[in-house]
């Protein structure tokens, strides 16, 4: 295979394409239909997801374009040339902290959901530790190997989602999509705010573009990869709405899982399709968690003298402690809001700052 002709630490542009939706699509998609349905009428929420998706597609392109302008240079390297080394160190640490808290949050949420739907007799702490150890095992090896896991897992995730949609057709009601375009501007703005949290993760492009073999293709591939995200979100939202309706969707914690519970596979081959669906969906959560953790390690490697495995050993217990810190569901939700807000603000701030400095530097060099 051509992937292995270049060594273990470089990736193809197609692997970057798949890495974007694999990282962005995490636990947020499980509750996204509920958050959208709370603030919109009937099926108007698809428009909100579409608008937010277009904005993030453009944002992903800008990030990848910035990073590809400095081919095969690490984030810390090209940031240092733009805003001085001390400032670049601070920016790198801020982005590393983003990956750190996102990893801790994902570990906690997937553990809570797994306990609710699969392991009702197992303590959350045990589930979280087990999942975290698997993530640690994955990132302790080849960095490019994570991208190959994405290439393997992502088609399975898409297939299962399509399968859920196919089996759910029997419960569809067109009346659940009516009336159309009844949501006011305030409702759309609130829905845009909540749905934007499900698009976090594009910061990986600041780091991983440096290991792409053909960085010139990175912006296009990043945009295509991000375009998969709103398309899948709209599909899942419309599936939930078509079966449950707007009111029921707005009052279900995880509508897509509840939808999988309603499915009956012909012939009785699977009595609990939701268990199969959830196990497959753990692949998506695993991708997001592993990439977030690896970005943290990748960032800290560039600003410290510690090796990758040393950073993994140091960060793993800290991530576990932060993930287990919330004592109840309310605190977990608050942690999620903080992680989402912090991720969006830091990624936006760093990207805008570096783009402005890059333009200024280019004008000076052309003068």
């Amino acid at each position: 295979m051509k992937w292995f002709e270049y060594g273990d630490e470089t990736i193809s542009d197609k692997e970057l394409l798949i890495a974007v939706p694999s990282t962005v699509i995490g636990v947020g998609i499980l509750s996204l239909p509920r958050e959208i349905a709370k603030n919109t009428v009937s099926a108007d929420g698809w428009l909100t997801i579409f608008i937010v998706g277009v904005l993030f597609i453009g944002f992903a392109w800008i990030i990848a374009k910035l990073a590809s302008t400095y081919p095969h240079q690490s984030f810390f390297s090209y940031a240092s040339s733009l805003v001085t080394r001390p400032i670049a160190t601070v920016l790198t640490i801020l982005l590393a902290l983003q990956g750190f808290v996102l990893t801790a949050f994902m570990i906690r949420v997937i553990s809570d959901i797994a306990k609710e739907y699969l392991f009702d007799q197992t303590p959350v702490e045990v589930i979280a530790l087990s999942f975290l150890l698997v993530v640690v095992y994955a990132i302790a090896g080849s960095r490019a190997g994570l991208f190959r896991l994405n290439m393997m897992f992502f088609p399975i995730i898409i297939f299962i989602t399509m399968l859920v949609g196919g089996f759910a057709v029997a419960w569809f009601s067109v009346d659940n999509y009516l009336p159309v375009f009844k949501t006011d501007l305030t409702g759309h703005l609130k829905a845009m705010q909540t749905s934007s949290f499900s698009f976090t993760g594009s910061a990986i492009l600041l780091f991983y573009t440096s290991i792409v073999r053909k960085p010139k293709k990175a912006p296009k591939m990043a945009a295509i990869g991000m375009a998969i995200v709103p398309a899948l979100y709209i599909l899942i939202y419309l599936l939930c709405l078509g079966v449950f309706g707007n009111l029921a969707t707005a009052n279900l914690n995880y509508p897509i899982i509840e939808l999988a519970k309603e499915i009956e596979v012909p012939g009785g081959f699977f009595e609990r399709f939701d268990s199969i669906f959830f196990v497959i969906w753990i692949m998506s959560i695993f991708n997001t968690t592993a990439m977030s953790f690896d970005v943290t390690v990748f960032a800290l490697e560039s600003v410290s003298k510690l090796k990758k495995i040393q950073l993994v050993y140091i960060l793993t217990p800290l991530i576990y402690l932060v993930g287990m810190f919330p004592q109840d569901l309310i605190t977990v939700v608050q942690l999620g809001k903080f992680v989402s807000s912090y991720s969006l603000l830091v990624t936006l701030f760093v990207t805008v700052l570096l783009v402005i400095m890059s333009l200024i530097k280019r004008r000076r060099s052309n003068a």
Side-chain angles (χ1 to χ4, degrees):
M1 295 176 69
K2 292 183 179 180
W3 292 340
F4 299 98
E5 294 175 2
Y6 298 87
D8 284 336
E9 295 306 322
T10 59
I11 61 174
S12 69
D13 49 313
K14 291 181 180 178
E15 287 173 313
L16 183 68
L17 184 155
I18 297 299
V20 174
S22 295
T23 304
V24 174
I25 299 171
V27 294
I29 194 173
L30 300 178
S31 58
L32 178 66
R34 180 194 68 200
E35 299 299 330
I36 296 294
K38 281 182 179 179
N39 298 293
T40 57
V41 179
S42 300
D44 290 353
W46 75 267
L47 183 60
T48 300
I49 300 174
F50 176 78
I51 294 173
V52 174
V54 170
L55 293 176
F56 274 89
I57 290 170
F59 189 42
W61 185 90
I62 291 172
I63 294 175
K65 184 66 176 178
L66 169 67
S68 64
T69 304
Y70 306 91
H72 307 299
Q73 293 186 41
S74 67
F75 170 79
F76 181 68
S77 177
Y78 67 77
S80 297
S81 67
L82 293 174
V83 293
T84 73
R85 190 180 182 89
I87 297 177
T89 301
V90 174
L91 297 181
T92 304
I93 293 174
L94 289 175
L95 290 169
L97 182 59
Q98 171 191 335
F100 176 87
V101 294
L102 182 58
T103 303
F105 174 68
M106 297 291 283
I107 294 285
R108 176 55 185 268
V109 172
I110 190 62
S111 302
D112 286 339
I113 298 175
K115 180 176 176 60
E116 180 177 350
Y117 287 96
L118 294 178
F119 311 112
D120 57 333
Q121 302 298 320
T122 307
V124 172
E125 294 80 6
V126 175
I127 300 173
L129 181 60
S130 302
F131 186 73
L132 179 58
L133 290 177
V134 175
V135 172
V136 168
Y137 178 77
I139 69 168
S142 168
R143 176 160 286 129
L146 290 177
F147 290 83
R148 289 157 198 154
L149 283 177
N150 291 336
M151 296 287 285
M152 181 174 65
F153 288 164
F154 194 70
I156 301 174
I157 296 166
I158 296 297
F159 172 74
I160 290 297
T161 304
M162 296 299 179
L163 197 62
V164 170
F167 286 133
V169 170
W171 287 274
F172 263 42
S173 175
V174 180
D175 292 339
N176 290 333
Y177 297 132
L178 301 174
V180 296
F181 302 120
K182 292 295 183 179
T183 305
D184 57 18
L185 180 60
T186 302
H188 277 299
L189 290 176
K190 289 181 179 179
M192 288 176 66
Q193 180 183 2
T194 55
S195 62
S196 63
F197 295 152
S198 297
F199 285 84
T200 56
S202 51
I204 66 165
L205 295 168
L206 291 168
F207 295 91
Y208 289 135
T209 303
S210 64
I211 61 174
V212 177
R213 292 192 287 269
K214 297 178 180 178
K216 289 185 179 180
K217 293 185 177 181
K220 177 182 177 181
M221 292 302 176
I224 295 173
M226 184 59 77
I228 296 174
V229 178
L232 187 63
Y233 283 179
I234 290 174
L235 172 63
I236 290 178
Y237 169 72
L238 292 178
L239 283 175
C240 294
L241 211 69
V243 174
F244 299 121
N246 185 276
L247 183 60
T249 301
N251 287 279
L252 292 172
N253 286 330
Y254 306 110
I256 185 64
I257 298 180
E258 297 297 332
L259 179 62
K261 289 174 67 175
E262 297 295 324
I263 291 175
E264 296 180 3
V265 180
F269 187 69
F270 290 126
E271 292 186 0
R272 287 196 60 188
F273 186 81
D274 60 306
S275 298
I276 306 299
F277 169 80
F278 186 69
V279 169
I280 297 300
W281 204 258
I282 287 178
M283 293 180 179
S284 176
I285 313 280
F286 170 82
N287 288 340
T288 303
T289 308
M291 299 294 281
S292 300
F293 196 171
D294 189 62
V295 162
T296 302
V297 174
F298 200 1
L300 294 178
E301 273 185 295
S302 62
V303 296
S304 70
K305 296 181 180 180
L306 296 175
K307 295 181 179 180
K308 179 179 180 179
I309 195 65
Q310 292 174 322
L311 288 168
V312 171
Y313 286 149
I314 294 171
L315 293 174
T316 298
L318 296 177
I319 287 172
Y320 181 76
L321 289 175
V322 172
M324 293 298 101
F325 179 77
Q327 299 300 310
D328 50 41
L329 180 60
I330 296 176
T331 313
V332 173
V333 172
Q334 291 174 344
L335 176 62
K337 290 180 179 179
F338 167 76
V339 171
S340 301
S341 301
Y342 178 82
S343 299
L344 287 175
L345 291 175
V346 167
T347 305
L348 182 62
F349 171 73
V350 172
T351 303
V352 171
L353 174 63
L354 295 184
V355 167
I356 292 174
M357 295 307 298
S358 181
L359 293 174
I360 292 174
K361 184 178 179 179
R362 190 177 303 176
R363 287 185 179 182
R364 288 178 178 175
S365 61
N366 293 333

